[in-house]
Amino acid sequence: MKLPFKQRTISTAVIIPSAIVVAALALLQYRWSTRVSEATAVRLADSLQMSIMNLQKDLFRYFSEISVALRIDPIEDSPADVNRYVRRFAEWKAVTKYPKLVSNVWILTPDAGIKQPASRLNLTAGRFEAGAWPTAFETLRADLQRASAEFPRNRTTAAGRRDEIFNLEDPSAGWLFDPNIPALFHPVNTVSGSVEWMAVELSSQEIQTHIFSDLIRTYFQGTDGLDYLAAVISGTSPGHVLYESDRGFGYPPPADADGTIDFFGRVPPGLTGSPVHVFHAPSNDKGPDPSVKIAWFPFLRETPADADWRLVVRHRRGGALGAFVTEMRRRDLAIGFGVLLVLVLNMGMLIVTSHRAQQLAQLQVDFVTTVSHELRTPLTVIISGADNISKGVVETRQQMAQYGSVISNQAKQLLGLVERILLFAATRQGPLRYNLRVLEVQEIVDDALASAAGILEANGFTVDCDIPEDLPNVKGDRSALSQCLQNLITNAVKYGAKDGKETQPWIGIRARGAGEEVEISVADCGIGISAADLPHIFEPFYRSPSVKAAQIRGTGLGLPLSRSIAEAMNGRLTVDTAPGRGSTFTLHLPCIKSPGTIEAPPASADLAHTS
Ligand code: ADP
C-alpha cells in the first residue's frame, strides 16, 4: 500500500533528522569515551606514581627516624658517653610505630687486635655490654675498617667534622646502610685512635611482614581489597621476594607491571633514567616529575643494583592498567551504544507503528472510495430500471424480460462485490479454513470458465484452452481455486482489449506439470502492466492509474484475494507482463505424485469458505 506523498514526506522528514541525530550521538559518545578513558588512564598513572613515591618516602622516614632519634653527637675530645644512646633509643622505642624494627644496637670497633671489639645494647639492663664481634656482621668488618680509614682523611677541622657528622638540618646525614643484614651504621667517637661505629641492626622479619604490608595497604587499598597487586623483590630468584600481596605475584617478576620503584633511589636493572617507572604515561604537566631524586642512605659497601629492594605493582582488575582502562572504555561504550540501540529500536517501532496506522487509515479510505463507487453503478441501474417499470414505461413482455435480465445482472454484480469484500475481510482476520480435496486441474478450470462464461460471452472473447489429460492432480479447495482462476480470467477480459483496437479478443488458459508443481496460466494480449504498477498490483485496493483513467471498473481486491488463496493451498501466484503486449498470470500449485491418491483433509479443513 503506497502512502500519499504528503505522509511519506512527513515520515522522511522525521526519519532522516532522527537518524542523523542518532549517528551524531553515537559519534560523540565514541569520541567522548575515548577522551574520558585517556584522561582516566593518565589520572590513574599520576596517582599510581604519587602513591609509590610516597610509599618509598614513608619507608625512608621509618628508617631515618631511628637515625634522628639516636642523634650521633659530634666529635668530642673525651671518650663518648654511650649511655645517652641507651636513653635515646629507649625514647625512640616508646614512640615509634614499629618498636620491633630494630633488633640490636651495637657499638663496634672494627680495628684488628681490639680485645672486645663489640658491645651490644642491653635495653633491660640499660647499658652496652662488651663482647665478641657479632656473626651477622662478620663480612662487614673489613668494610668498616676501610670506612674508618677514610674517615679521618675527610676530616679537616673539628668544626668541619662537626658539620659533616652532625648536620642539624639533616640529622640522618652520615648514616650508611647495608641492605643485606639490613643495618644502619654511623661512626662515633673518632677522636681516639680507632674509630668506633654505631650499628643499628634492623629486623627483616618486621620489615617484610609488617612494614611492607602496612605501606601497601595504606597506598593501594580500594573499596574491595587492594586495587593493585604488589611485591617487593630483591634480585630475580624466588628466594628474594621480600613481600608479595598475592602468592606468586613477585616471582617470576611480572612482565606487565604498571609501576616500579627502587627504594634505594637507583635505576632498576633493565630500565633507564629514573628509579620510578610508571608504564602507562602519566600526564606531562600535572604528574610528579619522574626524574625526581629519591632520598636514601648511602651504602656502606658496594652493593649490586639487583640486590636493591624494588616495589612492583600491577592493577588487580583486567591485568595491567592499560587493559583495565580499555575494559572500562569498552564497558562505557557498550552501555552508551546499548542505550542508543534501545533509542533506535524505539524509533524504529514508532515509525513502523505509525506507518501501519497510516496504512490502515489509507486502507479504510480506499475501501470506502472503491466500494461506494462500485456499489453506485449497479444500484443506479437497478433503481432506474425499477423506476421505469413502476412508471409504466416498460410496455411489452419483451421489454420486461430485458429489464429483468439487466436488473438480475446488476444484482449479481452487487452480490459478487459484497461476497468479495466479505472474503477479503475474512482473510484479514486470519487464515481461512478450506475444504482440501484431491482435484483434477480440468475440473478447476471448467468451474472457473463456467463462472466467467457471462463476462466472456458479453465481451466476445475466444478462449484457447490447453489442459493435457495426463496432468498430475493437485490438492486444494475446489471452490476457492476456481474463484482464484475466475478472478484472473475476469481481469484478462477487463484488461485484455487494447483501447478497443483488438479485433478478436482472446485469452489463453494453459496447464503444465513442472517438477513438483502444476502451473495453470491465464494469458491475455491486453494492455499489460507497467513497471511502476507491478510491485503494487497485489496490494489490496490498488488499481493502476491508467485503468482508473480508462474507467475500467474494479475494486482492487481480485489479485490480493487470488494470491491469498494460492498461498493457502501452499502455492503461489506469479505474473509475467509487458506493457502493450499483454500479461500472463500463473497459479503454481504443488502436485500430488500418484494420481488418485486421496489424502484425508486435516481436521480443521472443513468447508468454511464460500465464494
Ligand atoms: P481490479 O481488477 O478490480 O482493479 P485486481 O486486484 O484484480 O483489481 O487488479 C489490480 C490491478 O492490477 C488492476 O487494477 C490492474 O491495474 C492490474 N491488472 C490485473 N490484471 C491485469 C491484466 N490481466 N492486465 C493488465 N493489468 C492487470
PDB file of all heavy atoms in Angstrom, residues 450-475:
ATOM      1  N   ALA A 450     -16.980 -21.700 -16.333  1.00  0.00           N
ATOM      2  CA  ALA A 450     -18.440 -21.645 -16.219  1.00  0.00           C
ATOM      3  C   ALA A 450     -18.857 -20.372 -15.490  1.00  0.00           C
ATOM      4  O   ALA A 450     -19.798 -19.678 -15.904  1.00  0.00           O
ATOM      5  CB  ALA A 450     -18.938 -22.875 -15.467  1.00  0.00           C
ATOM      6  N   SER A 451     -18.129 -20.041 -14.412  1.00  0.00           N
ATOM      7  CA  SER A 451     -18.479 -18.841 -13.648  1.00  0.00           C
ATOM      8  C   SER A 451     -18.246 -17.581 -14.471  1.00  0.00           C
ATOM      9  O   SER A 451     -18.955 -16.595 -14.310  1.00  0.00           O
ATOM     10  CB  SER A 451     -17.665 -18.748 -12.360  1.00  0.00           C
ATOM     11  OG  SER A 451     -17.772 -19.919 -11.634  1.00  0.00           O
ATOM     12  N   ALA A 452     -17.187 -17.629 -15.337  1.00  0.00           N
ATOM     13  CA  ALA A 452     -16.850 -16.418 -16.091  1.00  0.00           C
ATOM     14  C   ALA A 452     -17.523 -16.399 -17.468  1.00  0.00           C
ATOM     15  O   ALA A 452     -17.283 -15.488 -18.272  1.00  0.00           O
ATOM     16  CB  ALA A 452     -15.335 -16.326 -16.257  1.00  0.00           C
ATOM     17  N   ALA A 453     -18.386 -17.407 -17.729  1.00  0.00           N
ATOM     18  CA  ALA A 453     -18.981 -17.521 -19.057  1.00  0.00           C
ATOM     19  C   ALA A 453     -19.703 -16.250 -19.469  1.00  0.00           C
ATOM     20  O   ALA A 453     -19.566 -15.777 -20.608  1.00  0.00           O
ATOM     21  CB  ALA A 453     -19.924 -18.718 -19.096  1.00  0.00           C
ATOM     22  N   GLY A 454     -20.441 -15.675 -18.534  1.00  0.00           N
ATOM     23  CA  GLY A 454     -21.218 -14.468 -18.821  1.00  0.00           C
ATOM     24  C   GLY A 454     -20.353 -13.353 -19.354  1.00  0.00           C
ATOM     25  O   GLY A 454     -20.591 -12.801 -20.442  1.00  0.00           O
ATOM     26  N   ILE A 455     -19.318 -13.039 -18.615  1.00  0.00           N
ATOM     27  CA  ILE A 455     -18.453 -11.910 -18.979  1.00  0.00           C
ATOM     28  C   ILE A 455     -17.673 -12.191 -20.256  1.00  0.00           C
ATOM     29  O   ILE A 455     -17.478 -11.290 -21.097  1.00  0.00           O
ATOM     30  CB  ILE A 455     -17.532 -11.524 -17.800  1.00  0.00           C
ATOM     31  CG1 ILE A 455     -16.804 -10.214 -18.109  1.00  0.00           C
ATOM     32  CG2 ILE A 455     -16.527 -12.579 -17.429  1.00  0.00           C
ATOM     33  CD1 ILE A 455     -16.085  -9.622 -16.939  1.00  0.00           C
ATOM     34  N   LEU A 456     -17.289 -13.475 -20.424  1.00  0.00           N
ATOM     35  CA  LEU A 456     -16.548 -13.842 -21.645  1.00  0.00           C
ATOM     36  C   LEU A 456     -17.433 -13.643 -22.880  1.00  0.00           C
ATOM     37  O   LEU A 456     -17.016 -13.077 -23.884  1.00  0.00           O
ATOM     38  CB  LEU A 456     -16.079 -15.309 -21.562  1.00  0.00           C
ATOM     39  CG  LEU A 456     -14.868 -15.591 -20.659  1.00  0.00           C
ATOM     40  CD1 LEU A 456     -14.729 -17.090 -20.419  1.00  0.00           C
ATOM     41  CD2 LEU A 456     -13.593 -15.054 -21.295  1.00  0.00           C
ATOM     42  N   GLU A 457     -18.664 -14.146 -22.731  1.00  0.00           N
ATOM     43  CA  GLU A 457     -19.602 -14.080 -23.852  1.00  0.00           C
ATOM     44  C   GLU A 457     -19.965 -12.626 -24.152  1.00  0.00           C
ATOM     45  O   GLU A 457     -19.935 -12.182 -25.298  1.00  0.00           O
ATOM     46  CB  GLU A 457     -20.861 -14.873 -23.478  1.00  0.00           C
ATOM     47  CG  GLU A 457     -21.653 -15.333 -24.676  1.00  0.00           C
ATOM     48  CD  GLU A 457     -22.917 -16.058 -24.224  1.00  0.00           C
ATOM     49  OE1 GLU A 457     -22.827 -16.850 -23.236  1.00  0.00           O
ATOM     50  OE2 GLU A 457     -23.970 -15.805 -24.816  1.00  0.00           O
ATOM     51  N   ALA A 458     -20.253 -11.875 -23.082  1.00  0.00           N
ATOM     52  CA  ALA A 458     -20.662 -10.479 -23.267  1.00  0.00           C
ATOM     53  C   ALA A 458     -19.600  -9.685 -24.000  1.00  0.00           C
ATOM     54  O   ALA A 458     -19.909  -8.749 -24.742  1.00  0.00           O
ATOM     55  CB  ALA A 458     -20.960  -9.844 -21.914  1.00  0.00           C
ATOM     56  N   ASN A 459     -18.330 -10.038 -23.782  1.00  0.00           N
ATOM     57  CA  ASN A 459     -17.251  -9.273 -24.407  1.00  0.00           C
ATOM     58  C   ASN A 459     -16.704  -9.948 -25.659  1.00  0.00           C
ATOM     59  O   ASN A 459     -15.713  -9.476 -26.233  1.00  0.00           O
ATOM     60  CB  ASN A 459     -16.121  -9.030 -23.403  1.00  0.00           C
ATOM     61  CG  ASN A 459     -16.559  -8.071 -22.317  1.00  0.00           C
ATOM     62  OD1 ASN A 459     -16.538  -6.862 -22.505  1.00  0.00           O
ATOM     63  ND2 ASN A 459     -17.011  -8.609 -21.188  1.00  0.00           N
ATOM     64  N   GLY A 460     -17.318 -11.055 -26.023  1.00  0.00           N
ATOM     65  CA  GLY A 460     -16.950 -11.720 -27.267  1.00  0.00           C
ATOM     66  C   GLY A 460     -15.557 -12.307 -27.281  1.00  0.00           C
ATOM     67  O   GLY A 460     -14.862 -12.285 -28.303  1.00  0.00           O
ATOM     68  N   PHE A 461     -15.097 -12.823 -26.138  1.00  0.00           N
ATOM     69  CA  PHE A 461     -13.738 -13.377 -26.055  1.00  0.00           C
ATOM     70  C   PHE A 461     -13.669 -14.824 -26.522  1.00  0.00           C
ATOM     71  O   PHE A 461     -14.563 -15.619 -26.250  1.00  0.00           O
ATOM     72  CB  PHE A 461     -13.238 -13.302 -24.611  1.00  0.00           C
ATOM     73  CG  PHE A 461     -12.460 -12.061 -24.326  1.00  0.00           C
ATOM     74  CD1 PHE A 461     -13.111 -10.835 -24.197  1.00  0.00           C
ATOM     75  CD2 PHE A 461     -11.079 -12.085 -24.208  1.00  0.00           C
ATOM     76  CE1 PHE A 461     -12.409  -9.689 -23.945  1.00  0.00           C
ATOM     77  CE2 PHE A 461     -10.374 -10.936 -23.959  1.00  0.00           C
ATOM     78  CZ  PHE A 461     -11.032  -9.732 -23.826  1.00  0.00           C
ATOM     79  N   THR A 462     -12.617 -15.148 -27.230  1.00  0.00           N
ATOM     80  CA  THR A 462     -12.343 -16.538 -27.576  1.00  0.00           C
ATOM     81  C   THR A 462     -11.420 -17.088 -26.496  1.00  0.00           C
ATOM     82  O   THR A 462     -10.463 -16.421 -26.104  1.00  0.00           O
ATOM     83  CB  THR A 462     -11.538 -16.609 -28.902  1.00  0.00           C
ATOM     84  OG1 THR A 462     -11.997 -15.592 -29.743  1.00  0.00           O
ATOM     85  CG2 THR A 462     -11.610 -17.968 -29.505  1.00  0.00           C
ATOM     86  N   VAL A 463     -11.709 -18.264 -26.034  1.00  0.00           N
ATOM     87  CA  VAL A 463     -10.851 -18.878 -25.003  1.00  0.00           C
ATOM     88  C   VAL A 463     -10.099 -20.036 -25.627  1.00  0.00           C
ATOM     89  O   VAL A 463     -10.702 -20.935 -26.208  1.00  0.00           O
ATOM     90  CB  VAL A 463     -11.680 -19.359 -23.797  1.00  0.00           C
ATOM     91  CG1 VAL A 463     -10.761 -19.994 -22.764  1.00  0.00           C
ATOM     92  CG2 VAL A 463     -12.468 -18.216 -23.198  1.00  0.00           C
ATOM     93  N   ASP A 464      -8.800 -19.966 -25.509  1.00  0.00           N
ATOM     94  CA  ASP A 464      -7.949 -21.025 -26.035  1.00  0.00           C
ATOM     95  C   ASP A 464      -7.482 -21.859 -24.849  1.00  0.00           C
ATOM     96  O   ASP A 464      -6.680 -21.414 -24.039  1.00  0.00           O
ATOM     97  CB  ASP A 464      -6.749 -20.329 -26.727  1.00  0.00           C
ATOM     98  CG  ASP A 464      -5.989 -21.310 -27.577  1.00  0.00           C
ATOM     99  OD1 ASP A 464      -6.333 -22.488 -27.500  1.00  0.00           O
ATOM    100  OD2 ASP A 464      -5.058 -20.868 -28.284  1.00  0.00           O
ATOM    101  N   CYS A 465      -8.027 -23.064 -24.712  1.00  0.00           N
ATOM    102  CA  CYS A 465      -7.766 -23.868 -23.508  1.00  0.00           C
ATOM    103  C   CYS A 465      -6.855 -25.052 -23.842  1.00  0.00           C
ATOM    104  O   CYS A 465      -7.152 -25.823 -24.739  1.00  0.00           O
ATOM    105  CB  CYS A 465      -9.115 -24.355 -22.987  1.00  0.00           C
ATOM    106  SG  CYS A 465      -9.150 -24.480 -21.232  1.00  0.00           S
ATOM    107  N   ASP A 466      -5.778 -25.179 -23.107  1.00  0.00           N
ATOM    108  CA  ASP A 466      -4.817 -26.264 -23.357  1.00  0.00           C
ATOM    109  C   ASP A 466      -4.501 -26.968 -22.042  1.00  0.00           C
ATOM    110  O   ASP A 466      -3.613 -26.562 -21.289  1.00  0.00           O
ATOM    111  CB  ASP A 466      -3.552 -25.640 -23.985  1.00  0.00           C
ATOM    112  CG  ASP A 466      -2.458 -26.671 -24.190  1.00  0.00           C
ATOM    113  OD1 ASP A 466      -2.755 -27.870 -24.054  1.00  0.00           O
ATOM    114  OD2 ASP A 466      -1.312 -26.263 -24.461  1.00  0.00           O
ATOM    115  N   ILE A 467      -5.275 -28.011 -21.728  1.00  0.00           N
ATOM    116  CA  ILE A 467      -5.079 -28.749 -20.461  1.00  0.00           C
ATOM    117  C   ILE A 467      -4.777 -30.218 -20.818  1.00  0.00           C
ATOM    118  O   ILE A 467      -5.691 -30.966 -21.203  1.00  0.00           O
ATOM    119  CB  ILE A 467      -6.356 -28.726 -19.580  1.00  0.00           C
ATOM    120  CG1 ILE A 467      -7.009 -27.355 -19.559  1.00  0.00           C
ATOM    121  CG2 ILE A 467      -6.079 -29.274 -18.178  1.00  0.00           C
ATOM    122  CD1 ILE A 467      -6.370 -26.340 -18.687  1.00  0.00           C
ATOM    123  N   PRO A 468      -3.538 -30.670 -20.733  1.00  0.00           N
ATOM    124  CA  PRO A 468      -3.226 -32.068 -21.066  1.00  0.00           C
ATOM    125  C   PRO A 468      -3.940 -33.027 -20.109  1.00  0.00           C
ATOM    126  O   PRO A 468      -4.152 -32.679 -18.946  1.00  0.00           O
ATOM    127  CB  PRO A 468      -1.705 -32.160 -20.870  1.00  0.00           C
ATOM    128  CG  PRO A 468      -1.223 -30.769 -20.768  1.00  0.00           C
ATOM    129  CD  PRO A 468      -2.353 -29.921 -20.337  1.00  0.00           C
ATOM    130  N   GLU A 469      -4.240 -34.198 -20.614  1.00  0.00           N
ATOM    131  CA  GLU A 469      -5.019 -35.142 -19.799  1.00  0.00           C
ATOM    132  C   GLU A 469      -4.195 -35.799 -18.700  1.00  0.00           C
ATOM    133  O   GLU A 469      -4.698 -36.152 -17.655  1.00  0.00           O
ATOM    134  CB  GLU A 469      -5.609 -36.219 -20.707  1.00  0.00           C
ATOM    135  CG  GLU A 469      -6.876 -35.735 -21.367  1.00  0.00           C
ATOM    136  CD  GLU A 469      -7.514 -36.802 -22.213  1.00  0.00           C
ATOM    137  OE1 GLU A 469      -7.035 -37.955 -22.197  1.00  0.00           O
ATOM    138  OE2 GLU A 469      -8.480 -36.475 -22.908  1.00  0.00           O
ATOM    139  N   ASP A 470      -2.896 -35.970 -19.003  1.00  0.00           N
ATOM    140  CA  ASP A 470      -2.078 -36.724 -18.037  1.00  0.00           C
ATOM    141  C   ASP A 470      -1.475 -35.853 -16.938  1.00  0.00           C
ATOM    142  O   ASP A 470      -0.477 -36.214 -16.329  1.00  0.00           O
ATOM    143  CB  ASP A 470      -0.954 -37.436 -18.793  1.00  0.00           C
ATOM    144  CG  ASP A 470      -0.106 -36.443 -19.575  1.00  0.00           C
ATOM    145  OD1 ASP A 470      -0.563 -35.275 -19.707  1.00  0.00           O
ATOM    146  OD2 ASP A 470       0.993 -36.817 -20.037  1.00  0.00           O
ATOM    147  N   LEU A 471      -2.075 -34.720 -16.701  1.00  0.00           N
ATOM    148  CA  LEU A 471      -1.521 -33.829 -15.647  1.00  0.00           C
ATOM    149  C   LEU A 471      -1.683 -34.466 -14.273  1.00  0.00           C
ATOM    150  O   LEU A 471      -2.695 -35.113 -14.014  1.00  0.00           O
ATOM    151  CB  LEU A 471      -2.291 -32.509 -15.633  1.00  0.00           C
ATOM    152  CG  LEU A 471      -1.795 -31.376 -16.503  1.00  0.00           C
ATOM    153  CD1 LEU A 471      -2.643 -30.153 -16.224  1.00  0.00           C
ATOM    154  CD2 LEU A 471      -0.326 -31.065 -16.219  1.00  0.00           C
ATOM    155  N   PRO A 472      -0.714 -34.286 -13.397  1.00  0.00           N
ATOM    156  CA  PRO A 472      -0.931 -34.780 -12.029  1.00  0.00           C
ATOM    157  C   PRO A 472      -2.038 -33.983 -11.338  1.00  0.00           C
ATOM    158  O   PRO A 472      -2.317 -32.853 -11.725  1.00  0.00           O
ATOM    159  CB  PRO A 472       0.417 -34.528 -11.330  1.00  0.00           C
ATOM    160  CG  PRO A 472       1.209 -33.685 -12.222  1.00  0.00           C
ATOM    161  CD  PRO A 472       0.571 -33.646 -13.567  1.00  0.00           C
ATOM    162  N   ASN A 473      -2.621 -34.610 -10.334  1.00  0.00           N
ATOM    163  CA  ASN A 473      -3.670 -33.918  -9.580  1.00  0.00           C
ATOM    164  C   ASN A 473      -3.056 -32.932  -8.595  1.00  0.00           C
ATOM    165  O   ASN A 473      -1.859 -32.979  -8.297  1.00  0.00           O
ATOM    166  CB  ASN A 473      -4.508 -34.929  -8.800  1.00  0.00           C
ATOM    167  CG  ASN A 473      -5.376 -35.738  -9.738  1.00  0.00           C
ATOM    168  OD1 ASN A 473      -5.645 -35.301 -10.864  1.00  0.00           O
ATOM    169  ND2 ASN A 473      -5.799 -36.905  -9.296  1.00  0.00           N
ATOM    170  N   VAL A 474      -3.909 -32.075  -8.077  1.00  0.00           N
ATOM    171  CA  VAL A 474      -3.455 -31.126  -7.037  1.00  0.00           C
ATOM    172  C   VAL A 474      -4.378 -31.262  -5.843  1.00  0.00           C
ATOM    173  O   VAL A 474      -5.469 -31.839  -5.962  1.00  0.00           O
ATOM    174  CB  VAL A 474      -3.489 -29.663  -7.543  1.00  0.00           C
ATOM    175  CG1 VAL A 474      -2.503 -29.450  -8.656  1.00  0.00           C
ATOM    176  CG2 VAL A 474      -4.881 -29.256  -7.967  1.00  0.00           C
ATOM    177  N   LYS A 475      -3.933 -30.740  -4.716  1.00  0.00           N
ATOM    178  CA  LYS A 475      -4.812 -30.783  -3.546  1.00  0.00           C
ATOM    179  C   LYS A 475      -5.243 -29.364  -3.201  1.00  0.00           C
ATOM    180  O   LYS A 475      -4.395 -28.450  -3.150  1.00  0.00           O
ATOM    181  CB  LYS A 475      -4.080 -31.397  -2.349  1.00  0.00           C
ATOM    182  CG  LYS A 475      -5.062 -31.793  -1.253  1.00  0.00           C
ATOM    183  CD  LYS A 475      -4.396 -32.658  -0.215  1.00  0.00           C
ATOM    184  CE  LYS A 475      -3.862 -31.773   0.880  1.00  0.00           C
ATOM    185  NZ  LYS A 475      -3.297 -32.564   1.961  1.00  0.00           N
TER     186      LYS A 475
END
